[in-house]
Amino acid sequence: MGSVGRVVELNTGTKIPLVGLGTAAMNQNPEEIKTAVATALEVGYRHFDTASLYRSECALGDALKDAFLKGLAAREEVFVTTKLWSEDWDDSVSALRTSLKNLQLDYVDLYLIHWPVRLRKGASFPIPKEEDFLPLDLESVWQAMEQCVHLGLTKAIGVSNFSSKKIGDLLSHAKIPPAVNQVTLRWGLEQGISVLPKSYNKGRITQNFQVFDWSLTAEDHSKISRLEQKKANLGLEMTNSTTSPYKSVEELWDGEI
């Protein structure tokens, strides 16, 4: 991917803004989300990350619709990401159509598989029960993701919380390669990685976007690169010793933790 100003170019040619607003939070308040999105748009954000699991799609959709009507931004200027939850693997197209209805959009810019885990409908949350896990079929779900592209429902597709090994396995049969693997990183902006700070506080939303008028020194880069990198969300709830395809977080991440 080549970095161009404040965006990164994906393998599809689509440009993704380097800084976006994340909308994952506990005890979501729709009005709070809408206010945060409006603030972010005023500050200059043009990248918004949501997921069906977050239950923030409707509030984000309302905020974006209002912004478009007021002329604060045009649809083509805004990059929207949402994600396929593990219960919806059997019909990814319908799941995305539902997300689009919630978002009040004709398409999203990026659609991701949220976790490499398949669950039955109505699975226990946040910790699935043993009977909630279903056999993995990454090839079939990726074919459905590719269908979403062909139908014009998304500009690009990708994955989230996948190990390098799982991406390699996916590439062995993918007709459309994943454009993104979204994981929780400690740092990355200056590596050309799009980052998603999450805050609904007006001051912090503004501060999180003020990162383009300064840069790290070569010494800073050297020191940070030597720090141990750890994932904030290991997905322990996606593992068990009986029915999950992963008996441990080490298996889930193929040792990449």
Short mmCIF file of all heavy atoms in Angstrom, two decimals, residues 2 16 20 32 37 54 61-62 64 67 70 80 83 94 98 108-109 120 126 133 135 169 182 192 198 207 217 222:
data_model
loop_
_atom_site.label_atom_id
_atom_site.label_comp_id
_atom_site.label_asym_id
_atom_site.label_seq_id
_atom_site.Cartn_x
_atom_site.Cartn_y
_atom_site.Cartn_z
N GLY A 2 0.51 2.21 -0.82
CA GLY A 2 1.29 3.43 -0.87
C GLY A 2 0.61 4.53 -0.09
O GLY A 2 -0.58 4.76 -0.20
N ILE A 16 -8.08 5.00 1.88
CA ILE A 16 -8.64 4.98 3.22
C ILE A 16 -7.94 6.03 4.08
O ILE A 16 -6.71 6.05 4.14
CB ILE A 16 -8.52 3.56 3.84
CG1 ILE A 16 -9.10 3.54 5.26
CG2 ILE A 16 -7.09 3.06 3.83
CD1 ILE A 16 -9.18 2.13 5.84
N GLY A 20 -9.39 7.42 11.69
CA GLY A 20 -10.84 7.30 11.67
C GLY A 20 -11.41 7.29 13.07
O GLY A 20 -10.67 7.16 14.05
N GLU A 32 -25.33 10.15 21.91
CA GLU A 32 -23.92 10.41 22.16
C GLU A 32 -23.09 10.09 20.92
O GLU A 32 -22.16 10.82 20.56
CB GLU A 32 -23.45 9.58 23.35
CG GLU A 32 -22.08 9.94 23.86
CD GLU A 32 -21.68 9.16 25.10
OE1 GLU A 32 -22.17 8.02 25.26
OE2 GLU A 32 -20.88 9.66 25.89
N VAL A 37 -20.02 11.83 16.12
CA VAL A 37 -19.79 11.79 14.68
C VAL A 37 -19.86 13.20 14.08
O VAL A 37 -19.03 13.58 13.25
CB VAL A 37 -20.80 10.85 13.98
CG1 VAL A 37 -20.68 10.96 12.46
CG2 VAL A 37 -20.57 9.42 14.43
N TYR A 54 -21.48 -3.86 17.22
CA TYR A 54 -21.37 -2.67 18.05
C TYR A 54 -22.72 -2.01 18.33
O TYR A 54 -22.84 -1.20 19.25
CB TYR A 54 -20.46 -1.63 17.40
CG TYR A 54 -19.05 -2.06 17.12
CD1 TYR A 54 -18.27 -1.35 16.21
CD2 TYR A 54 -18.49 -3.18 17.74
CE1 TYR A 54 -16.97 -1.73 15.92
CE2 TYR A 54 -17.19 -3.56 17.46
CZ TYR A 54 -16.44 -2.84 16.54
OH TYR A 54 -15.15 -3.22 16.26
N GLY A 61 -25.48 6.08 10.92
CA GLY A 61 -26.25 6.38 9.71
C GLY A 61 -27.03 7.67 9.83
O GLY A 61 -27.06 8.49 8.90
N ASP A 62 -27.67 7.89 10.99
CA ASP A 62 -28.42 9.12 11.22
C ASP A 62 -27.50 10.34 11.16
O ASP A 62 -27.84 11.37 10.55
CB ASP A 62 -29.11 9.09 12.59
CG ASP A 62 -30.31 8.16 12.63
OD1 ASP A 62 -30.82 7.80 11.55
OD2 ASP A 62 -30.73 7.80 13.75
N LEU A 64 -24.55 10.63 9.66
CA LEU A 64 -24.04 10.85 8.31
C LEU A 64 -25.11 11.43 7.39
O LEU A 64 -24.84 12.35 6.61
CB LEU A 64 -23.51 9.54 7.72
CG LEU A 64 -22.23 9.00 8.36
CD1 LEU A 64 -21.86 7.65 7.75
CD2 LEU A 64 -21.07 9.98 8.21
N ALA A 67 -25.37 15.01 8.12
CA ALA A 67 -24.21 15.74 7.60
C ALA A 67 -24.30 15.92 6.09
O ALA A 67 -23.97 16.99 5.56
CB ALA A 67 -22.93 14.99 7.96
N LYS A 70 -26.87 18.60 5.28
CA LYS A 70 -26.39 19.95 5.62
C LYS A 70 -25.21 20.38 4.77
O LYS A 70 -24.76 21.53 4.88
CB LYS A 70 -26.00 20.00 7.10
CG LYS A 70 -27.19 19.90 8.05
CD LYS A 70 -26.72 19.94 9.50
CE LYS A 70 -27.91 19.89 10.46
NZ LYS A 70 -27.47 19.88 11.88
N VAL A 80 -16.60 4.52 5.08
CA VAL A 80 -17.34 3.80 6.12
C VAL A 80 -16.99 2.32 6.09
O VAL A 80 -17.04 1.67 5.05
CB VAL A 80 -18.87 3.96 5.93
CG1 VAL A 80 -19.62 3.18 7.01
CG2 VAL A 80 -19.25 5.44 5.97
N LYS A 83 -18.73 -4.53 9.69
CA LYS A 83 -18.18 -5.88 9.81
C LYS A 83 -19.27 -6.94 9.89
O LYS A 83 -20.35 -6.69 10.45
CB LYS A 83 -17.29 -5.97 11.06
CG LYS A 83 -16.20 -4.92 11.11
CD LYS A 83 -15.40 -5.00 12.39
CE LYS A 83 -14.51 -3.79 12.56
NZ LYS A 83 -15.26 -2.57 12.88
N SER A 94 -27.10 -10.85 2.90
CA SER A 94 -28.24 -10.32 3.64
C SER A 94 -27.79 -9.52 4.85
O SER A 94 -28.38 -8.48 5.19
CB SER A 94 -29.16 -11.46 4.09
OG SER A 94 -29.78 -12.07 2.98
N THR A 98 -28.62 -5.57 5.59
CA THR A 98 -29.18 -5.07 6.85
C THR A 98 -28.33 -3.93 7.39
O THR A 98 -28.86 -2.90 7.85
CB THR A 98 -29.27 -6.20 7.89
OG1 THR A 98 -30.16 -7.21 7.41
CG2 THR A 98 -29.78 -5.67 9.22
N VAL A 108 -21.00 0.37 1.45
CA VAL A 108 -19.93 0.74 2.38
C VAL A 108 -18.62 0.70 1.62
O VAL A 108 -18.52 0.12 0.53
CB VAL A 108 -19.86 -0.20 3.61
CG1 VAL A 108 -21.07 0.02 4.50
CG2 VAL A 108 -19.73 -1.66 3.20
N ASP A 109 -17.62 1.31 2.18
CA ASP A 109 -16.31 1.34 1.53
C ASP A 109 -15.48 0.11 1.85
O ASP A 109 -14.62 -0.28 1.06
CB ASP A 109 -15.57 2.62 1.94
CG ASP A 109 -16.35 3.86 1.52
OD1 ASP A 109 -16.19 4.29 0.37
OD2 ASP A 109 -17.12 4.36 2.35
N ARG A 120 -23.63 -20.02 15.91
CA ARG A 120 -25.04 -20.21 15.56
C ARG A 120 -25.82 -18.93 15.87
O ARG A 120 -25.40 -18.08 16.67
CB ARG A 120 -25.63 -21.37 16.35
CG ARG A 120 -25.76 -21.13 17.84
CD ARG A 120 -26.51 -22.25 18.53
NE ARG A 120 -26.64 -22.00 19.97
CZ ARG A 120 -27.60 -21.24 20.52
NH1 ARG A 120 -28.51 -20.67 19.74
NH2 ARG A 120 -27.66 -21.06 21.83
N PRO A 126 -21.42 -11.88 25.96
CA PRO A 126 -20.19 -11.83 25.16
C PRO A 126 -19.38 -13.12 25.12
O PRO A 126 -18.41 -13.20 24.37
CB PRO A 126 -19.39 -10.72 25.86
CG PRO A 126 -19.79 -10.83 27.29
CD PRO A 126 -21.24 -11.20 27.28
N PHE A 133 -20.73 -22.82 18.96
CA PHE A 133 -19.72 -22.86 17.90
C PHE A 133 -20.12 -23.81 16.78
O PHE A 133 -20.62 -24.90 17.02
CB PHE A 133 -18.37 -23.29 18.49
CG PHE A 133 -17.75 -22.24 19.37
CD1 PHE A 133 -18.02 -22.22 20.74
CD2 PHE A 133 -16.91 -21.28 18.85
CE1 PHE A 133 -17.46 -21.25 21.56
CE2 PHE A 133 -16.34 -20.30 19.67
CZ PHE A 133 -16.62 -20.28 21.02
N PRO A 135 -18.82 -25.43 12.75
CA PRO A 135 -17.60 -25.70 11.98
C PRO A 135 -17.22 -24.51 11.09
O PRO A 135 -18.07 -23.86 10.49
CB PRO A 135 -17.97 -26.92 11.13
CG PRO A 135 -19.09 -27.56 11.88
CD PRO A 135 -19.86 -26.45 12.51
N ASP A 169 -3.86 -18.79 4.19
CA ASP A 169 -4.81 -19.83 3.79
C ASP A 169 -5.92 -19.24 2.94
O ASP A 169 -6.35 -19.84 1.94
CB ASP A 169 -5.42 -20.50 5.04
CG ASP A 169 -4.40 -21.30 5.83
OD1 ASP A 169 -3.34 -21.64 5.26
OD2 ASP A 169 -4.66 -21.59 7.01
N GLN A 182 -7.78 -5.87 10.06
CA GLN A 182 -7.89 -4.92 11.15
C GLN A 182 -7.59 -5.61 12.48
O GLN A 182 -8.28 -6.55 12.87
CB GLN A 182 -9.31 -4.31 11.18
CG GLN A 182 -9.45 -3.19 12.19
CD GLN A 182 -10.89 -2.70 12.27
OE1 GLN A 182 -11.65 -3.17 13.09
NE2 GLN A 182 -11.24 -1.75 11.43
N GLY A 192 2.15 3.89 7.99
CA GLY A 192 1.18 3.86 6.91
C GLY A 192 -0.03 3.01 7.24
O GLY A 192 -0.71 2.51 6.36
N LYS A 198 -10.93 5.79 19.65
CA LYS A 198 -12.34 5.72 20.05
C LYS A 198 -12.58 6.64 21.24
O LYS A 198 -12.10 6.38 22.33
CB LYS A 198 -12.72 4.28 20.41
CG LYS A 198 -12.52 3.31 19.26
CD LYS A 198 -12.65 1.88 19.72
CE LYS A 198 -12.31 0.91 18.61
NZ LYS A 198 -12.32 -0.49 19.06
N GLN A 207 -8.25 16.28 19.73
CA GLN A 207 -6.84 16.00 19.98
C GLN A 207 -6.34 14.79 19.19
O GLN A 207 -5.23 14.79 18.67
CB GLN A 207 -6.61 15.77 21.48
CG GLN A 207 -6.79 17.01 22.33
CD GLN A 207 -6.81 16.70 23.81
OE1 GLN A 207 -6.73 15.54 24.22
NE2 GLN A 207 -6.92 17.73 24.64
N THR A 217 10.77 11.10 15.69
CA THR A 217 12.14 11.13 15.20
C THR A 217 12.59 9.71 14.86
O THR A 217 11.93 8.72 15.23
CB THR A 217 13.09 11.71 16.27
OG1 THR A 217 13.12 10.80 17.39
CG2 THR A 217 12.62 13.09 16.72
N SER A 222 13.02 3.90 16.36
CA SER A 222 13.89 2.80 16.76
C SER A 222 13.48 2.24 18.12
O SER A 222 13.39 1.03 18.31
CB SER A 222 15.35 3.27 16.79
OG SER A 222 16.20 2.24 17.23
#
